[in-house]
């Protein structure tokens, strides 16, 4: 897995801004394309199709949490964000504004945004 992932902020037509994660440009490995298209159910399906990734990869967990948040399941979203926070996997993510965040810091940000009624995803 790549050691860095690009994190970009997105504004959704729905109620909250989002950030989505994509391991390699052009691939939908962590549900980025489905999330950016406003299809959280499809993102859940695609991310969950790889049980290893959806159980341990911080980027996948954050996007899965975002997908659940967008479907209104805040409990499932929080569980995925917490799993990303405690994952043994850890790497840096670049924010849209050029700042870099450790994946655990991104997970903490996702939790904070969820508490404020917003969703975080990684690109």
């Amino acid at each position: 897995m790549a050691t860095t992932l690009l994190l970009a902020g997105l504004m959704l037509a729905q109620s909250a801004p989002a950030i989505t994660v994509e391991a390699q440009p052009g691939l939908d490995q962590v549900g980025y394309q489905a999330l950016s298209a406003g299809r959280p159910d499809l993102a859940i399906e695609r991310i969950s199709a790889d049980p290893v990734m959806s159980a341990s990869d911080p980027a996948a967990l954050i996007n899965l949490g975002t997908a659940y948040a967008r479907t209104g399941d805040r409990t499932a979203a929080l569980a995925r964000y917490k799993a990303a926070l405690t994952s043994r996997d850890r790497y840096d993510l670049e924010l849209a504004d050029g700042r870099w965040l450790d994946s655990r810091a991104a997970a903490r940000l996702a939790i904070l945004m969820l508490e404020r009624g917003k969703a975080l995803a990684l690109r």
Side-chain angles (χ1 to χ4, degrees), residues 6-22 30-40 43 59 62-71 81 93-97 106 109-111 113-114 116-123:
L6 178 63
L7 177 68
L10 300 173
M11 292 300 292
L12 294 179
Q14 297 178 343
S15 63
I19 303 174
T20 53
V21 175
E22 187 174 27
V30 290
Y32 167 69
Q33 292 172 346
L35 284 171
S36 64
R39 300 194 56 202
I62 290 170
N63 279 358
L64 191 54
T66 296
Y68 280 117
R70 290 184 188 165
T71 64
Y81 293 152
L93 304 170
E94 185 179 6
L95 299 178
D97 66 6
L109 179 59
I111 292 168
M113 289 179 72
L114 183 67
R116 293 180 178 170
K118 299 178 181 180
L120 177 76
L122 306 174
R123 176 177 129 96

